[in-house]
Amino acid sequence: MWAGVIPAVTTKFTADDRLDHAEMERCFALQMEAGCDGLIVAGSLGEGPMLSHDEKIEVLKTAQKVAAGKPVLLTVNEAGTREAAAIAKRAAKEGASGLMVVPSPIYHTNAEETVAALRAVAEAGDLPVMIYSNRLAYRVDVTVDQMEELASDRRFVAVKESSDDIRRSTEIINRLGNRYDLFTGVDNLAFEALSVGAIGWVAGLVVAFPRETVAIYQLMQQGRREEALAIYRWFRPLLDLDVSTYLVQNIKLAEVLAIGSNDRVRMPRKPLSGERRNAVEKIIKDALEIRPKLPSF
């Protein structure tokens, strides 16, 4: 159902902490122009837990305006299942293409609770669901066993695999074949995941470097592995910025330097400063100085 590069986009704010729809439209359009295959809003990178439900729906609508018919998914990352079900219903009413669902980031559910919560959200929204499995960030592992248990519900169509263990991708395919559209959700494991069978990439640094991200994916699809690997090796220091407590600030700073956006974040986050900012700026500027020429397709 879904495949390709689907950016987990950032949420843009004005200087007085309101949603900056004009800047989001501009930035989202860069993703579409580069050949991305959809958008995911209000995720971790999109500061979803810092947005009200009304704001999430507003960002969804802005993304839909730009996506020109390509899928736009809303991330469901609420602390409670009741609230998760409520935003899932609203997303369906507003025409979301699907949901990316995260187990509660506050209460660390056991296996039975995880499955029950995911089912409740899917039933409430009655939309296609991408299961977001990220045991490092959220301390809940949606395991292959749980994916198999959920497989009887056809609303669960995809998995964003972010366990940080490349073996998990093969385990999912070995157990479940092509039952789920398998996406990698870890930027600095993307080449490896695409090499072993992932058909999509929920990407982060794509928001600052959309053409390079799409080039890696398309080259891999065409079997042009060495060309993809050359770009990926250049990209790796940047992709490492996604695997950090400061991923939002890191990537928004990359947007400042690469696409002329801003790095406003919602508190309690604050933009990078001091030595940390200097270090991240150096990584980005060094990469920009040797930015590769992309091959034609």
Side-chain angles (χ1 to χ4, degrees):
M1 181 172 184
W2 296 319
V5 176
I6 304 186
V9 292
T10 57
T11 301
K12 290 300 179 181
F13 301 106
T14 62
D16 59 353
D17 199 36
R18 293 177 292 108
L19 295 177
D20 188 343
H21 290 285
E23 181 62 0
M24 282 189 279
E25 285 189 29
R26 185 184 78 86
C27 293
F28 297 171
L30 293 176
Q31 306 301 299
M32 296 296 99
E33 290 164 9
C36 291
D37 298 286
L39 298 169
I40 298 176
V41 301
S44 305
L45 184 56
E47 298 173 77
M50 312 304 172
L51 304 177
S52 70
H53 280 194
D54 286 345
E55 287 177 319
K56 289 183 179 185
I57 296 300
E58 288 184 43
V59 176
L60 172 70
K61 289 179 178 179
T62 296
Q64 289 171 325
K65 187 191 307 184
V66 176
K70 291 183 178 179
V72 179
L73 282 65
L74 178 75
T75 307
V76 177
N77 48 15
E78 274 56 39
T81 302
R82 179 182 63 177
E83 291 74 19
I87 190 63
K89 288 179 181 177
R90 288 190 65 179
K93 183 178 179 182
E94 297 297 339
S97 307
L99 307 170
M100 183 170 76
V101 183
V102 182
S104 171
I106 301 300
Y107 174 69
H108 306 132
T109 51
N110 64 30
E112 180 183 359
E113 292 168 332
T114 300
V115 169
L118 290 169
R119 286 192 189 280
V121 175
E123 290 169 4
D126 197 26
L127 289 170
V129 171
M130 177 183 290
I131 301 166
Y132 184 10
S133 178
N134 188 334
R135 62 189 180 190
L136 296 183
Y138 301 112
R139 289 186 280 178
V140 173
D141 189 6
V142 184
T143 64
V144 181
D145 286 343
Q146 291 167 43
M147 294 174 196
E148 186 171 28
E149 188 173 350
L150 292 166
S152 59
D153 187 334
R154 304 307 297 183
R155 286 173 291 210
F156 293 101
V157 301
V159 174
K160 178 185 176 183
E161 209 302 285
S162 300
S163 70
D164 204 37
D165 182 351
I166 193 60
R167 293 170 295 190
R168 176 67 67 84
S169 295
T170 298
E171 290 164 5
I172 292 170
I173 293 169
N174 281 353
R175 179 85 67 87
L176 296 161
N178 62 359
R179 167 61 186 82
Y180 292 107
D181 297 333
L182 180 60
F183 282 71
T184 180
V186 181
D187 268 3
N188 63 2
L189 276 178
F191 180 87
E192 294 83 352
L194 293 169
S195 296
V196 298
I199 66 168
W201 180 359
V202 177
L205 266 298
V206 65
V207 298
F209 296 93
R211 296 193 182 279
E212 289 83 356
T213 307
V214 170
I216 291 170
Y217 180 82
Q218 291 184 351
L219 288 167
M220 290 295 287
Q221 294 303 110
Q222 294 175 18
R224 297 161 65 180
R225 182 182 179 279
E226 293 303 319
E227 292 172 89
L229 184 56
I231 301 169
Y232 184 68
R233 285 173 173 159
W234 164 82
F235 212 176
R236 260 299 303 273
L238 294 164
L239 298 176
D240 291 346
L241 297 175
D242 182 57
V243 187
S244 166
T245 303
Y246 299 96
L247 82 159
V248 176
Q249 294 97 318
N250 290 346
I251 293 174
K252 282 193 167 181
L253 182 54
E255 288 182 298
V256 170
L257 297 172
I259 63 169
S261 191
N262 65 73
D263 63 344
R264 299 184 189 112
V265 289
R266 180 159 281 179
M267 291 182 70
R269 286 188 177 91
K270 299 188 74 174
L272 297 180
S273 60
E275 288 305 310
R276 179 171 284 116
R277 186 182 186 91
N278 292 340
V280 174
E281 275 193 3
K282 185 177 188 308
I283 291 168
I284 299 164
K285 289 179 177 178
D286 286 352
L288 286 169
E289 287 182 4
I290 57 169
R291 198 170 190 170
K293 182 180 179 181
L294 301 179
S296 58
F297 302 104

